[in-house]
Amino acid sequence: MFVGTKRQAAQPIADAAEKCAQYYMNHRWLGGTLTNWQTVSKSIQRLKSSTSKSERGFEGLTKKERLGMERDQGKLQASLGGIREMGGRP
């Protein structure tokens, strides 16, 4: 698992981890990522569900609800995007 949370290191960390097919965190380290996997996995599931809703175009949602979902998805993607496919603790 690659970890680098400084702005200068964010993109090189992501590139190196993707080349090696490994997981990474390059935005902000979330406390409990390794020790409280149950809570982190729930957040990853929220990210996956909001991504699937956005692919369908947020059908049936008002503009305000859609904007809230897009903001939440952006935050989750920034903090959990690199460990999205991780099945459990590394």
Side-chain angles (χ1 to χ4, degrees), residues 3 5 19 29 62 67:
V3 178
T5 58
K19 284 181 185 176
W29 180 261
T62 64
L67 287 172

Side-chain angles (χ1 to χ4, degrees), residues 16-40:
E18 288 172 1
K19 284 181 185 176
C20 299
Q22 293 297 314
Y23 307 110
Y24 64 93
M25 292 195 87
N26 64 348
H27 185 263
R28 179 177 173 267
W29 180 261
L30 299 175
T33 300
L34 300 177
T35 57
N36 192 5
W37 183 251
Q38 292 176 339
T39 304
V40 174

Side-chain angles (χ1 to χ4, degrees), residues 2 4 7 13 19 25 31 34 40 43-44 84 87 90:
F2 290 79
R7 288 184 200 195
I13 290 288
K19 284 181 185 176
M25 292 195 87
L34 300 177
V40 174
S43 296
I44 291 173
R84 180 180 182 169

Side-chain angles (χ1 to χ4, degrees), residues 1 22-25 33 37 40-41 43-55 73 76-88:
M1 181 173 198
Q22 293 297 314
Y23 307 110
Y24 64 93
M25 292 195 87
T33 300
W37 183 251
V40 174
S41 64
S43 296
I44 291 173
Q45 291 302 321
R46 276 191 12 232
L47 173 61
K48 289 181 180 179
S49 70
S50 71
T51 302
S52 67
K53 287 179 184 178
S54 72
E55 289 172 354
Q73 181 184 7
L76 289 172
Q77 180 64 34
S79 60
L80 299 172
I83 61 170
R84 180 180 182 169
E85 301 301 324
M86 190 163 59

